[in-house]
Amino acid sequence: KSCCQYDEAEQILRGISGRTRCFEDKLPSYLLLSQILRAQGNVDDAYNTCSFVLLQLGETIPESVAPEASKAMVEDTLKMYEEVYDDDWLERKMEGNTLRTLIKIYNVMAFASYFCKSYSMLVYFTCKAVQLSLRNGVCEHTPLSFLQFTGVVTNDDDAVLCYRIAKNAMSLQERFDMAAQIPELYFQFYGRVAWRFEPLQVCADNLRRGFETGLSSGNNEMGLQCAFHAIKTAIVSGANLKSTLKEIDYYLHLLKTYKSAEVKN
Protein backbone atom coordinates (compact mmCIF):
# COMPACT_ATOMS: atom_id res chain seq x y z
CA LYS A 1 0.00 0.00 0.00
CA SER A 2 1.09 3.56 -0.64
CA CYS A 3 2.57 5.50 2.26
CA CYS A 4 0.30 8.37 1.24
CA GLN A 5 -2.98 6.73 2.26
CA TYR A 6 -3.78 9.71 4.42
CA ASP A 7 -7.49 9.10 4.90
CA GLU A 8 -6.97 5.72 6.53
CA ALA A 9 -4.18 7.08 8.73
CA GLU A 10 -6.37 10.01 9.79
CA GLN A 11 -9.16 7.69 10.96
CA ILE A 12 -6.70 5.55 12.93
CA LEU A 13 -5.20 8.58 14.67
CA ARG A 14 -8.61 9.99 15.56
CA GLY A 15 -9.44 6.64 17.12
CA ILE A 16 -6.22 6.60 19.13
CA SER A 17 -6.84 10.14 20.41
CA GLY A 18 -10.34 9.19 21.49
CA ARG A 19 -9.17 6.20 23.53
CA THR A 20 -6.29 7.92 25.35
CA ARG A 21 -7.19 9.44 28.72
CA CYS A 22 -4.22 11.69 29.55
CA PHE A 23 -4.03 14.69 27.19
CA GLU A 24 -0.23 14.64 27.06
CA ASP A 25 -0.41 11.04 25.85
CA LYS A 26 -2.60 12.27 23.00
CA LEU A 27 -0.07 14.84 21.79
CA PRO A 28 1.83 12.58 19.35
CA SER A 29 -1.48 11.54 17.76
CA TYR A 30 -2.66 15.15 17.46
CA LEU A 31 0.69 16.13 15.94
CA LEU A 32 0.54 13.39 13.33
CA LEU A 33 -3.09 14.22 12.62
CA SER A 34 -2.25 17.88 12.03
CA GLN A 35 0.59 16.87 9.69
CA ILE A 36 -1.72 14.57 7.74
CA LEU A 37 -4.36 17.30 7.44
CA ARG A 38 -1.67 19.66 6.18
CA ALA A 39 -0.48 17.11 3.62
CA GLN A 40 -4.08 16.67 2.44
CA GLY A 41 -4.40 20.41 1.95
CA ASN A 42 -6.98 20.71 4.76
CA VAL A 43 -5.23 23.72 6.25
CA ASP A 44 -8.29 24.96 8.16
CA ASP A 45 -8.63 21.60 9.93
CA ALA A 46 -4.88 21.51 10.54
CA TYR A 47 -4.99 24.99 12.07
CA ASN A 48 -8.02 24.15 14.24
CA THR A 49 -6.40 20.93 15.46
CA CYS A 50 -3.21 22.78 16.43
CA SER A 51 -5.26 25.56 18.01
CA PHE A 52 -7.16 23.04 20.16
CA VAL A 53 -3.90 21.46 21.34
CA LEU A 54 -2.27 24.78 22.19
CA LEU A 55 -5.29 25.97 24.14
CA GLN A 56 -5.36 22.71 26.11
CA LEU A 57 -1.70 23.31 27.00
CA GLY A 58 -2.44 26.82 28.26
CA GLU A 59 -1.00 28.69 25.31
CA THR A 60 -2.52 31.94 24.05
CA ILE A 61 -3.70 32.22 20.45
CA PRO A 62 -4.48 35.69 19.12
CA GLU A 63 -7.40 36.21 16.77
CA SER A 64 -5.14 38.30 14.57
CA VAL A 65 -1.69 39.89 14.56
CA ALA A 66 -0.99 43.32 13.10
CA PRO A 67 1.93 43.58 10.64
CA GLU A 68 3.67 46.05 12.97
CA ALA A 69 3.38 43.58 15.87
CA SER A 70 4.81 40.70 13.82
CA LYS A 71 7.71 42.89 12.68
CA ALA A 72 8.47 43.80 16.31
CA MET A 73 8.31 40.11 17.26
CA VAL A 74 10.91 39.26 14.59
CA GLU A 75 13.22 41.97 15.94
CA ASP A 76 12.77 40.71 19.51
CA THR A 77 13.50 37.14 18.44
CA LEU A 78 16.68 38.19 16.60
CA LYS A 79 17.83 40.07 19.69
CA MET A 80 17.01 37.08 21.89
CA TYR A 81 18.96 34.78 19.57
CA GLU A 82 22.09 36.94 19.74
CA GLU A 83 21.82 37.09 23.54
CA VAL A 84 21.20 33.37 24.09
CA TYR A 85 23.04 31.49 21.35
CA ASP A 86 26.38 30.17 22.62
CA ASP A 87 28.07 26.86 23.44
CA ASP A 88 26.29 26.61 26.79
CA TRP A 89 22.88 26.90 25.12
CA LEU A 90 23.86 24.34 22.48
CA GLU A 91 24.65 21.86 25.24
CA ARG A 92 21.19 22.31 26.79
CA LYS A 93 18.94 19.56 25.53
CA MET A 94 15.25 20.33 25.74
CA GLU A 95 13.63 18.31 28.50
CA GLY A 96 10.20 16.73 28.15
CA ASN A 97 8.27 15.42 25.18
CA THR A 98 5.56 18.04 25.61
CA LEU A 99 7.89 20.96 24.85
CA ARG A 100 9.33 19.18 21.80
CA THR A 101 5.86 18.43 20.48
CA LEU A 102 4.80 22.02 21.15
CA ILE A 103 7.53 23.35 18.86
CA LYS A 104 6.38 21.07 16.06
CA ILE A 105 2.76 22.09 16.61
CA TYR A 106 3.80 25.73 16.25
CA ASN A 107 5.61 24.90 13.00
CA VAL A 108 2.53 23.21 11.52
CA MET A 109 0.31 26.05 12.70
CA ALA A 110 2.60 28.62 11.09
CA PHE A 111 2.30 26.83 7.75
CA ALA A 112 -1.48 26.60 8.01
CA SER A 113 -1.74 30.27 9.04
CA TYR A 114 -0.25 31.36 5.74
CA PHE A 115 -3.21 29.86 3.86
CA CYS A 116 -6.14 30.31 6.23
CA LYS A 117 -5.18 33.33 8.38
CA SER A 118 -2.51 35.87 7.46
CA TYR A 119 1.21 36.24 6.88
CA SER A 120 1.49 38.09 10.18
CA MET A 121 0.06 35.05 11.97
CA LEU A 122 2.64 32.85 10.23
CA VAL A 123 5.37 35.15 11.54
CA TYR A 124 3.87 35.07 15.04
CA PHE A 125 3.83 31.27 15.34
CA THR A 126 7.26 30.93 13.72
CA CYS A 127 8.73 33.30 16.30
CA LYS A 128 6.94 31.46 19.13
CA ALA A 129 8.60 28.18 18.10
CA VAL A 130 12.07 29.77 17.98
CA GLN A 131 11.64 31.55 21.31
CA LEU A 132 10.48 28.33 22.94
CA SER A 133 13.71 26.64 21.90
CA LEU A 134 15.89 29.59 22.90
CA ARG A 135 14.36 29.47 26.39
CA ASN A 136 14.47 25.71 26.87
CA GLY A 137 17.32 24.31 24.80
CA VAL A 138 17.72 22.36 21.57
CA CYS A 139 15.81 19.37 20.23
CA GLU A 140 15.28 17.66 16.89
CA HIS A 141 12.73 20.31 15.89
CA THR A 142 15.00 23.29 16.62
CA PRO A 143 16.83 23.33 13.24
CA LEU A 144 13.66 23.52 11.15
CA SER A 145 12.19 26.20 13.44
CA PHE A 146 15.30 28.33 13.01
CA LEU A 147 15.34 27.84 9.24
CA GLN A 148 11.68 28.79 8.97
CA PHE A 149 12.43 31.86 11.06
CA THR A 150 15.10 33.08 8.63
CA GLY A 151 12.40 33.02 5.95
CA VAL A 152 10.30 35.65 7.75
CA VAL A 153 13.16 38.10 8.36
CA THR A 154 12.63 40.63 5.59
CA ASN A 155 15.29 43.23 6.45
CA ASP A 156 18.23 42.86 4.03
CA ASP A 157 20.54 44.24 6.71
CA ASP A 158 19.94 41.00 8.64
CA ALA A 159 20.83 38.71 5.71
CA VAL A 160 24.27 37.77 7.03
CA LEU A 161 22.86 37.10 10.50
CA CYS A 162 20.13 34.93 8.97
CA TYR A 163 22.75 32.93 7.07
CA ARG A 164 24.63 32.37 10.33
CA ILE A 165 21.42 31.27 12.06
CA ALA A 166 20.68 28.89 9.18
CA LYS A 167 24.22 27.44 9.17
CA ASN A 168 24.05 26.89 12.91
CA ALA A 169 20.67 25.20 12.49
CA MET A 170 22.00 22.83 9.82
CA SER A 171 24.98 21.92 12.02
CA LEU A 172 22.54 20.47 14.58
CA GLN A 173 21.82 17.61 12.17
CA GLU A 174 24.88 15.89 13.64
CA ARG A 175 23.23 15.73 17.07
CA PHE A 176 19.82 14.31 16.17
CA ASP A 177 18.30 11.70 13.87
CA MET A 178 16.78 14.05 11.32
CA ALA A 179 16.70 11.93 8.17
CA ALA A 180 12.92 12.37 7.83
CA GLN A 181 13.34 16.16 7.85
CA ILE A 182 15.92 16.30 5.04
CA PRO A 183 13.48 17.47 2.30
CA GLU A 184 12.18 20.41 4.34
CA LEU A 185 15.57 21.29 5.81
CA TYR A 186 17.18 21.36 2.37
CA PHE A 187 14.32 23.35 0.89
CA GLN A 188 14.53 25.95 3.65
CA PHE A 189 18.35 26.20 3.66
CA TYR A 190 19.46 25.70 0.06
CA GLY A 191 16.31 27.06 -1.55
CA ARG A 192 15.69 30.13 0.59
CA VAL A 193 18.93 31.15 2.34
CA ALA A 194 22.16 29.58 1.08
CA TRP A 195 21.78 30.59 -2.58
CA ARG A 196 22.89 34.11 -1.65
CA PHE A 197 26.13 32.91 -0.05
CA GLU A 198 27.10 29.48 -1.40
CA PRO A 199 27.86 28.19 -4.93
CA LEU A 200 24.62 27.80 -6.86
CA GLN A 201 25.66 24.37 -8.10
CA VAL A 202 26.02 23.16 -4.50
CA CYS A 203 22.54 24.48 -3.75
CA ALA A 204 21.03 22.85 -6.85
CA ASP A 205 22.65 19.49 -6.09
CA ASN A 206 21.33 19.46 -2.53
CA LEU A 207 17.86 20.53 -3.65
CA ARG A 208 17.83 17.53 -6.01
CA ARG A 209 18.76 15.34 -3.06
CA GLY A 210 15.89 16.90 -1.10
CA PHE A 211 13.52 16.10 -3.97
CA GLU A 212 14.57 12.47 -4.19
CA THR A 213 14.51 12.01 -0.42
CA GLY A 214 11.05 13.58 -0.26
CA LEU A 215 9.61 11.19 -2.82
CA SER A 216 11.23 8.12 -1.29
CA SER A 217 9.87 9.04 2.16
CA GLY A 218 6.37 9.97 0.98
CA ASN A 219 6.86 13.71 1.48
CA ASN A 220 5.88 14.60 -2.08
CA GLU A 221 4.79 18.12 -1.17
CA MET A 222 8.22 19.16 0.07
CA GLY A 223 9.96 17.12 -2.61
CA LEU A 224 8.13 19.17 -5.23
CA GLN A 225 9.20 22.41 -3.53
CA CYS A 226 12.81 21.22 -3.70
CA ALA A 227 12.36 20.43 -7.40
CA PHE A 228 10.98 23.91 -8.13
CA HIS A 229 13.92 25.57 -6.42
CA ALA A 230 16.45 23.20 -8.01
CA ILE A 231 15.18 24.26 -11.44
CA LYS A 232 15.20 27.95 -10.51
CA THR A 233 18.72 27.68 -9.12
CA ALA A 234 19.94 25.83 -12.21
CA ILE A 235 18.54 28.53 -14.50
CA VAL A 236 20.04 31.36 -12.43
CA SER A 237 23.42 29.61 -12.43
CA GLY A 238 23.42 29.60 -16.25
CA ALA A 239 22.81 25.88 -16.77
CA ASN A 240 22.19 24.62 -20.28
CA LEU A 241 18.47 25.01 -21.06
CA LYS A 242 18.24 21.66 -22.85
CA SER A 243 19.69 19.95 -19.80
CA THR A 244 17.28 21.86 -17.59
CA LEU A 245 14.31 20.73 -19.71
CA LYS A 246 15.48 17.12 -19.38
CA GLU A 247 15.73 17.62 -15.63
CA ILE A 248 12.15 18.95 -15.53
CA ASP A 249 10.98 15.86 -17.46
CA TYR A 250 12.84 13.71 -14.94
CA TYR A 251 11.05 15.39 -12.03
CA LEU A 252 7.65 15.03 -13.71
CA HIS A 253 8.30 11.37 -14.48
CA LEU A 254 9.18 10.58 -10.87
CA LEU A 255 6.23 12.55 -9.53
CA LYS A 256 3.86 10.64 -11.80
CA THR A 257 5.51 7.38 -10.76
CA TYR A 258 4.84 8.24 -7.14
CA LYS A 259 1.30 9.35 -8.07
CA SER A 260 1.76 12.79 -6.59
CA ALA A 261 -1.44 14.82 -6.37
CA GLU A 262 0.62 18.01 -6.63
CA VAL A 263 1.86 17.31 -10.17
CA LYS A 264 -1.74 16.85 -11.40
CA ASN A 265 -2.49 20.39 -10.31
Side-chain angles (χ1 to χ4, degrees):
K1 292 184 179 181
S2 168
C3 60
C4 295
Q5 291 177 312
Y6 294 125
D7 291 338
E8 182 179 348
E10 179 185 347
Q11 294 303 316
I12 292 172
L13 288 170
R14 290 188 186 279
I16 292 173
S17 298
R19 289 193 297 269
T20 309
R21 294 184 179 180
C22 175
F23 187 77
E24 290 192 359
D25 291 340
K26 298 180 180 183
L27 286 178
S29 297
Y30 279 122
L31 173 58
L32 285 173
L33 178 59
S34 67
Q35 291 172 317
I36 287 173
L37 291 168
R38 167 187 161 172
Q40 290 176 315
N42 297 329
V43 290
D44 288 290
D45 289 342
Y47 183 91
N48 291 334
T49 299
C50 292
S51 178
F52 170 76
V53 171
L54 292 176
L55 290 172
Q56 293 296 312
L57 293 173
E59 298 293 310
T60 301
I61 302 173
E63 286 294 325
S64 62
V65 176
E68 297 79 10
S70 66
K71 183 179 180 181
M73 197 168 184
V74 168
E75 293 171 355
D76 290 344
T77 306
L78 284 171
K79 183 178 179 181
M80 185 178 179
Y81 178 89
E82 294 197 274
E83 291 174 351
V84 171
Y85 190 94
D86 57 21
D87 290 339
D88 290 337
W89 177 78
L90 283 170
E91 292 303 316
R92 286 179 59 201
K93 205 167 182 179
M94 187 175 290
E95 300 293 336
N97 291 329
T98 299
L99 282 175
R100 292 197 292 272
T101 302
L102 189 56
I103 287 183
K104 190 61 180 173
I105 289 286
Y106 272 130
N107 288 340
V108 176
M109 202 164 187
F111 175 89
S113 296
Y114 180 77
F115 295 98
C116 67
K117 293 296 180 179
S118 68
Y119 181 75
S120 294
M121 291 286 279
L122 177 152
V123 173
Y124 173 84
F125 290 118
T126 300
C127 290
K128 289 285 285 186
V130 172
Q131 291 177 6
L132 191 65
S133 192
L134 289 172
R135 291 191 185 99
N136 296 281
V138 298
C139 70
E140 67 272 22
H141 303 310
T142 298
L144 184 56
S145 297
F146 281 17
L147 287 169
Q148 289 176 328
F149 174 67
T150 61
V152 303
V153 180
T154 57
N155 190 340
D156 284 341
D157 292 340
D158 294 319
V160 174
L161 174 58
C162 283
Y163 178 57
R164 177 158 59 88
I165 292 173
K167 287 282 285 186
N168 290 338
M170 292 295 282
S171 70
L172 290 173
Q173 290 182 86
E174 301 171 3
R175 296 187 56 185
F176 303 100
D177 180 11
M178 299 174 60
Q181 298 185 51
I182 287 293
E184 196 157 3
L185 289 171
Y186 279 29
F187 160 66
Q188 295 285 347
F189 182 70
Y190 293 106
R192 303 184 69 180
V193 180
W195 64 272
R196 301 179 66 173
F197 301 93
E198 300 193 7
L200 291 174
Q201 189 59 51
V202 171
C203 295
D205 289 344
N206 280 289
L207 286 165
R208 292 185 191 103
R209 181 186 171 195
F211 167 77
E212 293 166 355
T213 305
L215 261 63
S216 64
S217 64
N219 192 352
N220 294 0
E221 173 198 6
M222 200 49 58
L224 186 58
Q225 291 295 329
C226 287
F228 285 152
H229 282 268
I231 294 166
K232 182 186 75 173
T233 304
I235 292 173
V236 172
S237 69
N240 181 278
L241 289 179
K242 286 187 177 180
S243 299
T244 303
L245 286 172
K246 287 183 179 179
E247 185 173 351
I248 292 172
D249 287 339
Y250 166 71
Y251 291 141
L252 291 173
H253 170 73
L254 285 183
L255 285 165
K256 289 177 182 177
T257 300
Y258 281 82
K259 298 180 180 179
S260 170
E262 288 84 357
V263 75
K264 296 175 183 177
N265 297 325

